[in-house]
Amino acid sequence: MKIVVTSVFVDDQEKALKFYTEILGFEKKTDVPAGAYRWLTVVSPEDRGGVELLLEPDAHPAVGPFKKALVDDGIPCASFAVKDVQAEHDRLVKAGVHFTQPPIHMGPVTTAVFDDTCGNLIQLAQMH
């Protein structure tokens, strides 16, 4: 068994696609109409055959309170591995991304947390 697709709930799929591709650097993998929404996934350009991230609409009534509770408590909904958290932090800040946690070294890992502009906090993690 392996993970093929995971998701983040987004308030606007087109806005999310722009942020996740143009700012973060992911590539669009799948874009298929699905009723009022789309089956819209992105992948890392470093692993095009790897895990897809579904930009899933947050229209279900349970999602809003769930997302708000996570953000209110500073809990990221996803974690992305990077080679250098400080370098990614600096690059993304220059691109206008708001970080809620700057890079922090915690033993074998360095993490930072940013707002994805779609209602989520995302963690960057670098293992040492």
Side-chain angles (χ1 to χ4, degrees):
M1 185 179 304
K2 66 179 185 177
I3 298 171
V4 176
V5 176
T6 187
S7 63
V8 292
F9 290 110
V10 299
D11 56 4
D12 179 320
Q13 286 186 299
E14 193 58 39
K15 179 178 73 172
L17 179 62
K18 185 173 180 149
F19 182 81
Y20 279 78
T21 57
E22 295 179 14
I23 303 297
L24 297 185
F26 289 106
E27 295 178 352
K28 183 168 66 174
K29 172 94 181 218
T30 306
D31 189 355
V32 178
Y37 301 102
R38 299 147 62 187
W39 182 265
L40 180 60
T41 69
V42 295
V43 294
S44 169
E46 298 170 11
D47 189 13
R48 291 184 174 95
V51 176
E52 296 179 46
L53 181 65
L54 174 64
L55 304 176
E56 187 163 2
D58 66 1
H60 189 281
V63 176
F66 172 72
K67 285 175 63 177
K68 182 178 182 324
L70 290 178
V71 170
D72 287 350
D73 287 346
I75 300 171
C77 71
S79 183
F80 301 152
V82 295
K83 293 177 182 164
D84 184 333
V85 166
Q86 186 65 56
E88 281 298 314
H89 170 270
D90 295 348
R91 180 184 75 81
L92 293 173
V93 165
K94 285 180 185 171
V97 175
H98 171 69
F99 275 77
T100 60
Q101 176 203 303
I104 295 176
H105 302 279
M106 297 181 287
V109 65
T110 300
T111 66
V113 178
F114 65 88
D115 177 344
D116 77 348
T117 73
C118 302
N120 304 294
L121 297 178
I122 304 292
Q123 181 181 65
L124 298 179
Q126 172 190 356
M127 298 302 293
H128 301 283

